[in-house]
């Protein structure tokens, strides 16, 4: 971290660190609450269409239907397709909204944009649950609420990544953001546990309570979030103050190889960072696409997120159908996938920081993930111990690349040296990458809903194919990184890679 005292900005290092820590913690809780509010639908699905015969005879005595305990309109034989439609309504709206959300995020105060989006997300999450208390059985109501919720939830990711990127330079960004990105899995775990409390008694509360939580965190964010170091008299990270003739001394490109991350230039120890250049304009959508690596990582994330979100929305139902657990037990067991996601994100960030190879790290984890998905489907339910171990391993391998791309890679590309210090690209680049990934997030649960009636084996074959495609799309960037390592070894040890 560069020295943070200058003639014009006299804030000492401890003050900077305290505000930077506050930003990291606050954005962590913000996005934890986003995922906390998304998770209940996957837990409640098994309650909307449970196995009524296991509950005994129909107490209403007005029908011999085997679906007397189901919630209309999800009581028909097409309930899996309807669940897929609910997921798709949210995720398609999220994917479309994400491409424009970053543009707004660059031009509006992030504090207002983020907190307003969180309050609205809480409202629409609660409205879904209120359908239980209002005795609503019309499909369009739930679809409309999901669409609105998907749109307002796009305010979250570009905003929190931009805030963190404003405060942190590129040194050890992978590890820091790998730990910070555990908010995704922590939110999923908390969402599962909170929804599981009421899923069997009053499933509406499984949505209302998370809705209240995210709205409350949004209000806290409004009062305490600090968007930029300059807002409190602190010097920004060096990638924010570069001029057109300077290069970020913390920048790590794939060609620099191992150990380049720990290298520091004399500018890192300067007591007087250069004065900021004239305030740059926000980058255009096409301009962000021209940044090297944006297209490759965006397409890779499309397939990686397809796999991750299929697990997010369908894993509890899969466990209920295959392992024959109850709704609450299946929800609790599914949290182990997110525990693995926390470990995978940290591991991916640590390795990519040390090697300087973001793409190679992602590719290797995706290569191993494909056979592990196959094994989980075939032996993952052979005992509770095996199930726990396989869920954690699959969660780490599936969510590790997803976490690395959406955090460290997005921040690296958003402050790429080709931008010459224009940090206003960060939110737009983040939105493009995550928006493309959200297309996969919409496709995965939809395809799972369409394919699952033919057998869960076919769903897992689809997930394995998506993992392989995600890996192949990074081939060009991986080759570039490997060539960079070869060049580094030539300079370091004097032999040639062929």
């Amino acid at each position: 971290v560069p020295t943070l005292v200058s003639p014009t900005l006299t804030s000492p290092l401890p003050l900077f660190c305290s505000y930077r820590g506050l930003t990291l913690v606050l954005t962590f809780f913000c996005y934890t609450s986003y995922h906390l509010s998304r998770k209940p639908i996957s837990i409640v699905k098994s309650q909307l269409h449970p196995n009524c015969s296991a509950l005994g005879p129909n107490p209403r005595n007005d029908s011999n239907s085997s679906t007397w305990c189901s919630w209309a309109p999800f009581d028909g034989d097409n309930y899996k397709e309807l669940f897929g439609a609910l997921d798709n309504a949210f995720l398609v709206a999220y994917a479309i909204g994400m491409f424009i959300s970053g543009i707004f995020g660059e031009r509006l105060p992030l504090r207002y944009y983020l907190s307003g989006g969180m309050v609205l997300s809480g409202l629409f999450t609660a409205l879904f649950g209120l359908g239980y208390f209002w005795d609503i059985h019309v499909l369009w109501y739930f679809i409309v609420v999901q669409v609105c919720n998907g749109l307002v939830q796009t305010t979250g990711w570009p905003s929190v990544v931009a805030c963190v990127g404003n405060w942190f330079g590129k040194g050890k960004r992978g590890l820091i953001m790998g730990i910070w990105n555990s908010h995704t899995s922590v939110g999923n775990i908390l969402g599962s546990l909170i929804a599981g409390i009421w899923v069997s008694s009053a499933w509406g509360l499984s949505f209302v309570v998370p809705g209240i939580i995210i709205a409350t965190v949004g209000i806290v964010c409004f009062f305490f979030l600090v968007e930029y170091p300059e807002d409190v008299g602190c010097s920004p990270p060096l990638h924010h103050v570069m001029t057109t003739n300077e290069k970020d001394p913390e920048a790590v490109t794939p060609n620099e190889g191992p150990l380049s991350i720990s290298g520091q230039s004399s500018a890192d120890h300067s007591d007087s960072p250069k004065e900021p250049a004239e305030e740059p304009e926000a980058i255009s959508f096409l301009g962000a696409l021209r940044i090297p690596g944006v297209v490759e990582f965006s397409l890779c994330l499309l397939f990686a997120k397809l796999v991750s979100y299929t697990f997010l929305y369908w894993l509890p139902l899969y466990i209920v159908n295959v392992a024959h657990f109850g709704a609450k037990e299946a929800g609790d067991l599914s949290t182990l996938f997110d525990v693995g996601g926390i470990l995978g994100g940290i591991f991916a960030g640590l390795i990519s920081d040390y090697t300087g190879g973001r793409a190679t790290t992602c590719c290797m984890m995706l290569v191993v993930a494909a056979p592990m998905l196959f094994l989980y489907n075939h032996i993952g339910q052979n005992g509770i111990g095996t199930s726990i171990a396989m869920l954690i391993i699959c969660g780490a391998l599936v969510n590790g690349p997803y976490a690395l791309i959406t955090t460290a890679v997005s921040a690296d590309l958003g402050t790429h040296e080709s931008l010459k210090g224009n940090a206003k690209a960060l939110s737009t680049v983040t939105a493009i990458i995550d928006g493309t990934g959200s297309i996969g997030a919409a496709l995965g649960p939809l395809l799972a809903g369409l394919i699952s009636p033919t057998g869960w084996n076919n769903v897992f074959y689809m997930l394995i194919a998506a993992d392989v495609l995600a890996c192949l799309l990074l081939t060009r960037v991986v080759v570039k990184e490997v060539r960079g390592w070869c060049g580094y070894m030539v300079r370091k040890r004097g032999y040639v890679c062929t």
Side-chain angles (χ1 to χ4, degrees):
V1 177
T3 301
L4 299 166
V5 179
S6 72
T8 56
L9 299 172
T10 58
S11 177
L13 181 59
L15 178 61
F16 177 88
C17 292
S18 63
Y19 277 109
R20 187 165 69 168
L22 173 63
T23 301
L24 200 67
V25 170
L26 190 53
T27 53
F28 178 92
F29 282 114
C30 284
Y31 213 70
T32 294
S33 65
Y34 271 100
H35 267 264
L36 182 149
S37 68
R38 296 176 194 174
K39 186 64 176 178
I41 184 65
S42 66
I43 305 300
V44 171
K45 279 178 183 175
S46 57
Q47 188 64 26
L48 295 176
H49 191 97
N51 181 7
C52 296
S53 60
L55 300 177
N58 183 358
R60 302 172 187 169
N61 295 322
D62 58 357
S63 172
N64 294 322
S65 171
S66 60
T67 60
W68 61 268
C69 63
S70 299
W71 186 271
F74 307 104
D75 54 350
D77 294 335
N78 64 338
Y79 71 98
K80 289 184 179 179
E81 288 82 356
L82 296 183
F83 288 156
L86 283 182
D87 298 339
N88 210 48
F90 176 91
L91 294 169
V92 169
Y94 185 88
I96 294 173
M98 184 59 73
F99 286 105
I100 61 175
S101 180
I103 298 174
F104 284 113
E106 298 288 6
R107 293 161 173 81
L108 297 174
L110 289 176
R111 184 164 62 93
Y112 296 159
Y113 191 55
L114 179 60
S115 58
M118 294 178 72
V119 171
L120 289 175
S121 296
L123 171 64
F124 289 115
T125 300
L127 282 174
F128 194 103
L130 289 174
Y132 171 83
F133 299 102
W134 295 340
D135 201 27
I136 296 176
H137 298 275
V138 182
L139 180 63
W140 68 261
Y141 171 83
F142 299 104
I143 294 289
V144 169
V145 170
Q146 285 287 82
V147 169
C148 294
N149 201 11
L151 289 174
V152 297
Q153 290 233 347
T154 62
T155 59
W157 191 240
S159 299
V160 296
V161 173
C163 284
V164 173
N166 290 337
W167 282 90
F168 287 87
K170 293 184 178 179
K172 298 184 179 179
R173 178 179 275 169
L175 176 59
I176 292 171
M177 286 196 151
I179 297 172
W180 174 76
N181 192 66
S182 63
H183 52 48
T184 298
S185 297
V186 171
N188 291 339
I189 293 171
L190 292 176
S192 298
L193 296 177
I194 292 173
I197 295 174
W198 295 285
V199 63
S200 299
S201 56
W203 62 258
L205 290 175
S206 297
F207 292 91
V208 173
V209 174
I212 294 173
I213 291 174
I214 186 174
T216 302
V217 176
I219 294 171
V220 173
C221 170
F222 177 81
F223 287 107
F224 294 101
L225 182 66
V226 180
E227 299 176 29
Y228 300 100
E230 300 94 314
D231 293 343
V232 288
C234 296
S235 298
L238 289 190
H239 68 253
H240 280 252
V241 297
M242 283 193 303
T243 65
T244 57
N245 296 321
E246 294 175 321
K247 180 179 179 181
D248 185 351
E250 286 187 305
V252 178
T253 64
N255 292 337
E256 292 181 279
L259 305 180
S260 61
I261 293 168
S262 61
Q264 294 180 343
S265 72
S266 59
D268 284 331
H269 304 282
S270 170
D271 287 337
S272 301
K274 290 184 171 55
E275 291 299 319
E278 184 179 349
E279 183 73 11
E281 295 182 358
I283 194 170
S284 67
F285 184 87
L286 293 178
L289 286 177
R290 287 194 289 267
I291 298 172
V294 167
V295 173
E296 290 92 339
F297 279 109
S298 297
L299 294 175
C300 173
L301 185 62
L302 187 151
F303 291 102
K305 208 166 179 180
L306 182 153
V307 178
S308 181
Y309 268 65
T310 300
F311 273 91
L312 174 67
Y313 282 91
W314 286 91
L315 181 58
L317 188 62
Y318 169 78
I319 294 173
V320 168
N321 290 345
V322 176
H324 308 294
F325 284 112
K328 185 179 186 305
E329 291 77 10
D332 293 343
L333 188 60
S334 70
T335 61
L336 295 172
F337 183 82
D338 295 298
V339 171
I342 295 174
L343 300 176
I346 295 172
F347 179 78
L350 182 63
I351 296 300
S352 68
D353 271 347
Y354 176 74
T355 62
R358 309 284 199 211
T360 306
T361 302
C362 291
C363 195
M364 294 304 298
M365 296 185 78
L366 291 168
V367 166
V368 181
M372 292 307 300
L373 290 173
F374 179 84
L375 290 175
Y376 173 66
N377 183 45
H378 285 82
I379 67 172
Q381 309 304 326
N382 295 345
I384 188 65
T386 303
S387 181
I388 291 173
M390 294 295 292
L391 277 172
I392 293 175
I393 293 171
C394 288
L397 295 172
V398 168
N399 287 329
Y402 162 36
L404 185 61
I405 293 173
T406 55
T407 54
V409 170
S410 296
D412 287 349
L413 296 176
T415 54
H416 194 270
E417 61 182 9
S418 65
L419 297 170
K420 300 180 176 63
N422 183 1
K424 280 186 171 293
L426 185 54
S427 185
T428 300
V429 170
T430 300
I432 289 174
I433 292 176
D434 199 51
T436 306
S438 296
I439 296 175
L443 286 175
L446 174 63
L447 291 175
L450 297 174
I451 297 173
S452 58
T454 68
W456 286 104
N457 285 344
N458 294 330
V459 174
F460 276 84
Y461 294 147
M462 180 265 291
L463 298 179
I464 292 169
D467 249 334
V468 172
L469 287 172
C471 183
L472 292 176
L473 285 165
L474 286 182
T475 302
R476 189 188 72 84
V477 186
V478 170
V479 170
K480 183 179 179 181
E481 290 179 351
V482 171
R483 286 177 177 172
W485 289 328
C486 286
Y488 173 80
M489 298 307 294
V490 169
R491 298 190 301 271
K492 189 73 175 177
R493 300 184 181 178
Y495 62 81
V496 179
C497 290
T498 59

